[in-house]
Amino acid sequence: MTLMDTRVDDGYPTRITGAPEHLPRVHPTVWGTEADGPIDAATLANHEARGYTVDDDLLSVGEVQTYWQELVRLSSNREPAQDERVITEARTGEVRSIFAVHDISDLISELVRDPRVLDRARQLLGSDVYLHQSRVNYMPGFKGTGFYWHSDFETWHAEDGMPAPRAVSCSIALTDNYPFNGGLMIMPGSHRTFVQCAGETPAENYKASLKDQRVGVPTEDDITRMAAEHGIEQFTGQAGSALWFDANIMHGSGNNITPYPRSNIFLVFNSVENALTEPYAASRPRPAFIAGRDTTPISR
């Protein structure tokens, strides 16, 4: 399939020339029903409307400590110059993220299959699922830099070839999330609108964008318009809580200039019925450690 072929029936065109537009979403957010998993009907309806759900007590205190120690081990055992999966801060050179952690950590591989996680992903997407992406994010005190406003699906569509926003992310907090230590900001309801982005995708754009995303981000006018329509909320909560959010919701985070670190495990589940094609707005797909193409369903 050529790049031109993938764009013929593209309901979410992006990386365009000219002025970006706001396009209505043409797919559901919740694909399953109450009978399909542990989430009740009222929570599913709220997720459909707002685009995200918070689980305050996904992990126990003991589990949080175990996974925190695993994050420390992973960051100390990886050499950024020799491992492309390790993304460092552009300014300080410290570890920012480690991708494909389910492949290098038995603990995180088990977490992906944990019924508390897997059953919710299947229910929200209404099908078997596979892992599109996994990573751990480190935002140390004083030095952690944020992520500019963006829709994950815009990048996954443009650069990975994800046809529809039938994917959901689970961000599991391993440190307390305060309003002041770079917590994730989110625009509730923004997932119902696809905001186009302008400009061509540079070759191997991921090498720069994972440190500081400049391509595939909305304009300040677009962000202002979306914030005026939807408002901005922030994910705060204790370590062990989890945020489930739609692939297309507008979100971002600020720098962390406090002494308090903010780290999380980030898992992206995609429906097996939404397998990646060729990129819609890039010359070649991103590497598999960023965008998995093995659609074998995850099993317990």
Side-chain angles (χ1 to χ4, degrees), residues 157-196:
H157 185 67
E159 300 185 35
D160 299 335
M162 183 179 286
R166 193 175 178 179
V168 66
S169 298
C170 179
S171 177
I172 304 171
L174 298 184
T175 52
D176 292 340
N177 284 254
Y178 303 107
F180 45 74
N181 68 335
L184 191 73
M185 297 178 289
I186 206 162
M187 296 185 186
S190 61
H191 64 295
R192 296 190 297 264
T193 302
F194 181 78
V195 179
Q196 292 180 317

Coordinates of all heavy atoms in Angstrom, one line a residue, residues 157-196:
H157 N -1.8 8.5 13.9 CA -2.5 8.4 12.6 C -1.5 8.8 11.5 O -1.2 8.1 10.5 CB -3.7 9.3 12.6 CG -4.5 9.3 11.3 ND1 -5.2 8.2 10.9 CD2 -4.7 10.2 10.3 CE1 -5.9 8.4 9.8 NE2 -5.6 9.7 9.4
A158 N -0.8 10.0 11.7 CA 0.1 10.5 10.7 C 1.3 9.7 10.5 O 1.7 9.4 9.4 CB 0.4 12.0 11.0
E159 N 1.9 9.3 11.6 CA 3.3 8.7 11.5 C 3.3 7.2 11.7 O 4.3 6.5 11.3 CB 4.2 9.4 12.6 CG 4.3 10.9 12.3 CD 5.3 11.5 13.3 OE1 6.4 10.9 13.6 OE2 5.1 12.7 13.7
D160 N 2.2 6.6 12.3 CA 2.2 5.2 12.5 C 1.2 4.4 11.6 O 1.3 3.2 11.4 CB 1.8 4.9 14.0 CG 2.8 5.4 14.9 OD1 4.0 5.6 14.5 OD2 2.5 5.7 16.1
G161 N 0.2 5.2 11.1 CA -0.8 4.6 10.2 C -2.0 4.0 11.0 O -2.6 3.0 10.5
M162 N -2.3 4.5 12.2 CA -3.5 4.0 12.9 C -4.7 4.6 12.3 O -4.9 5.8 12.2 CB -3.4 4.5 14.4 CG -4.5 4.0 15.2 SD -4.4 4.5 17.0 CE -3.1 3.5 17.6
P163 N -5.6 3.7 11.8 CA -6.7 4.2 11.0 C -7.7 5.1 11.7 O -8.2 6.1 11.2 CB -7.4 2.9 10.5 CG -6.3 1.9 10.5 CD -5.5 2.2 11.7
A164 N -8.1 4.6 12.9 CA -9.2 5.3 13.7 C -8.7 5.4 15.2 O -7.8 4.7 15.6 CB -10.4 4.4 13.6
P165 N -9.3 6.3 15.9 CA -9.0 6.5 17.3 C -9.6 5.5 18.2 O -10.2 5.8 19.2 CB -9.5 7.9 17.6 CG -10.7 8.1 16.7 CD -10.3 7.4 15.4
R166 N -9.5 4.2 17.8 CA -10.0 3.1 18.6 C -8.8 2.6 19.5 O -8.5 1.4 19.4 CB -10.6 2.0 17.7 CG -11.4 1.0 18.5 CD -12.0 0.0 17.5 NE -12.8 -1.0 18.3 CZ -13.5 -2.0 17.7 NH1 -13.5 -2.1 16.4 NH2 -14.1 -2.9 18.4
A167 N -8.2 3.4 20.3 CA -7.1 3.1 21.2 C -7.3 3.9 22.4 O -8.0 4.9 22.5 CB -5.8 3.5 20.5
V168 N -6.8 3.3 23.5 CA -6.9 4.0 24.8 C -5.6 3.9 25.6 O -4.9 2.9 25.5 CB -8.1 3.4 25.6 CG1 -7.8 1.9 26.0 CG2 -8.4 4.2 26.9
S169 N -5.3 4.9 26.3 CA -4.0 5.0 27.1 C -4.4 4.8 28.6 O -5.4 5.3 29.1 CB -3.3 6.3 26.9 OG -2.9 6.4 25.5
C170 N -3.5 4.2 29.3 CA -3.6 4.0 30.7 C -2.3 4.5 31.3 O -1.2 4.0 31.1 CB -3.8 2.5 31.1 SG -3.9 2.3 32.9
S171 N -2.4 5.6 32.1 CA -1.2 6.2 32.7 C -1.3 5.9 34.2 O -2.3 6.4 34.9 CB -1.2 7.7 32.5 OG -0.1 8.3 33.2
I172 N -0.4 5.1 34.7 CA -0.4 4.7 36.1 C 0.6 5.5 36.9 O 1.8 5.4 36.6 CB -0.1 3.2 36.2 CG1 -1.1 2.4 35.3 CG2 -0.2 2.7 37.7 CD1 -0.8 0.9 35.2
A173 N 0.2 6.2 37.9 CA 1.0 7.1 38.7 C 1.8 6.3 39.7 O 1.3 5.5 40.5 CB 0.2 8.2 39.4
L174 N 3.1 6.5 39.7 CA 4.0 5.8 40.7 C 4.5 6.8 41.7 O 5.2 6.5 42.7 CB 5.2 5.1 40.0 CG 4.8 4.0 39.1 CD1 6.0 3.3 38.5 CD2 3.9 3.0 39.8
T175 N 4.1 8.1 41.6 CA 4.4 9.1 42.5 C 3.1 9.9 42.7 O 2.2 9.9 41.8 CB 5.5 10.1 42.1 OG1 5.2 10.5 40.7 CG2 6.9 9.4 42.0
D176 N 3.0 10.6 43.8 CA 1.8 11.5 43.9 C 1.8 12.6 42.9 O 2.8 13.2 42.6 CB 1.8 12.1 45.3 CG 1.6 11.1 46.4 OD1 1.1 10.0 46.1 OD2 1.9 11.4 47.6
N177 N 0.6 12.8 42.3 CA 0.4 13.9 41.3 C -0.2 15.1 42.0 O -1.4 15.0 42.4 CB -0.5 13.4 40.2 CG 0.2 12.4 39.2 OD1 0.6 12.8 38.1 ND2 0.5 11.2 39.7
Y178 N 0.5 16.1 42.1 CA 0.0 17.4 42.6 C -0.3 18.4 41.5 O 0.1 18.2 40.4 CB 1.1 18.0 43.6 CG 1.6 17.1 44.7 CD1 2.8 16.6 44.6 CD2 0.8 16.9 45.8 CE1 3.3 15.8 45.7 CE2 1.2 16.1 46.8 CZ 2.5 15.5 46.8 OH 2.9 14.7 47.8
P179 N -1.1 19.4 41.8 CA -1.3 20.4 40.8 C 0.0 21.2 40.4 O -0.1 21.8 39.3 CB -2.3 21.4 41.5 CG -2.9 20.6 42.6 CD -1.8 19.7 43.1
F180 N 1.0 21.0 41.2 CA 2.2 21.9 40.9 C 3.5 21.1 40.5 O 4.5 21.7 40.3 CB 2.5 22.7 42.2 CG 2.5 21.9 43.5 CD1 3.5 21.0 43.8 CD2 1.4 22.0 44.3 CE1 3.4 20.2 44.9 CE2 1.4 21.3 45.5 CZ 2.4 20.4 45.8
N181 N 3.4 19.8 40.3 CA 4.6 19.1 39.9 C 4.5 18.5 38.5 O 5.0 17.4 38.2 CB 5.0 18.0 40.9 CG 4.0 16.8 40.9 OD1 2.9 17.0 40.6 ND2 4.5 15.7 41.4
G182 N 3.9 19.3 37.6 CA 3.9 18.9 36.2 C 2.8 17.9 35.8 O 2.9 17.1 34.8
G183 N 1.7 17.9 36.6 CA 0.6 16.9 36.3 C 0.0 17.1 35.0 O 0.0 18.2 34.4
L184 N -0.6 16.0 34.5 CA -1.2 16.0 33.1 C -2.4 16.9 33.1 O -3.3 16.8 34.0 CB -1.6 14.6 32.7 CG -2.0 14.4 31.3 CD1 -0.8 14.5 30.4 CD2 -2.7 13.1 31.1
M185 N -2.5 17.8 32.2 CA -3.7 18.7 31.9 C -4.5 18.1 30.7 O -3.9 17.6 29.8 CB -3.3 20.1 31.6 CG -2.6 20.8 32.8 SD -2.0 22.5 32.4 CE -0.7 22.1 31.3
I186 N -5.8 18.2 30.8 CA -6.6 17.5 29.8 C -7.8 18.4 29.5 O -8.3 19.1 30.4 CB -7.0 16.1 30.3 CG1 -7.3 15.1 29.2 CG2 -8.1 16.2 31.4 CD1 -7.3 13.7 29.6
M187 N -8.3 18.4 28.3 CA -9.5 19.1 28.0 C -10.7 18.2 27.8 O -10.8 17.4 26.8 CB -9.3 19.9 26.6 CG -8.2 21.0 26.7 SD -8.1 21.9 25.2 CE -6.7 23.0 25.5
P188 N -11.6 18.1 28.8 CA -12.7 17.1 28.7 C -13.6 17.4 27.6 O -14.0 18.5 27.3 CB -13.4 17.3 30.1 CG -13.0 18.7 30.5 CD -11.6 18.9 30.0
G189 N -13.9 16.3 26.8 CA -14.8 16.4 25.7 C -14.1 16.8 24.4 O -14.7 16.7 23.3
S190 N -12.8 17.1 24.5 CA -12.1 17.5 23.2 C -11.8 16.3 22.3 O -11.5 16.5 21.1 CB -10.7 18.2 23.6 OG -9.9 17.3 24.3
H191 N -12.0 15.1 22.8 CA -11.8 13.9 22.0 C -12.8 13.8 20.9 O -12.6 13.0 19.9 CB -11.8 12.7 22.9 CG -13.2 12.4 23.5 ND1 -13.7 13.3 24.4 CD2 -14.1 11.5 23.3 CE1 -14.9 12.9 24.8 NE2 -15.2 11.8 24.2
R192 N -13.9 14.6 21.0 CA -14.9 14.5 19.9 C -14.5 15.3 18.7 O -15.3 15.3 17.7 CB -16.2 14.9 20.5 CG -16.8 14.0 21.6 CD -18.2 14.4 21.9 NE -18.3 15.7 22.4 CZ -18.4 16.1 23.7 NH1 -18.2 15.1 24.6 NH2 -18.5 17.3 24.1
T193 N -13.4 16.0 18.8 CA -13.0 16.9 17.7 C -11.5 16.5 17.3 O -10.7 16.4 18.1 CB -13.0 18.4 18.0 OG1 -14.4 18.7 18.4 CG2 -12.6 19.3 16.9
F194 N -11.3 16.3 16.0 CA -10.0 16.1 15.5 C -9.4 17.4 15.0 O -10.0 18.0 14.0 CB -10.0 15.0 14.4 CG -8.6 14.7 13.8 CD1 -7.7 13.9 14.5 CD2 -8.2 15.3 12.6 CE1 -6.5 13.6 14.1 CE2 -6.9 15.0 12.1 CZ -6.0 14.2 12.9
V195 N -8.3 17.9 15.6 CA -7.7 19.1 15.2 C -6.6 18.8 14.2 O -5.6 18.2 14.6 CB -7.2 19.9 16.5 CG1 -6.5 21.2 16.0 CG2 -8.3 20.1 17.5
Q196 N -6.7 19.3 13.0 CA -5.7 19.1 12.0 C -4.4 19.9 12.4 O -4.5 20.9 13.1 CB -6.2 19.6 10.7 CG -7.3 18.8 10.0 CD -7.7 19.3 8.7 OE1 -7.8 20.5 8.5 NE2 -7.8 18.4 7.7

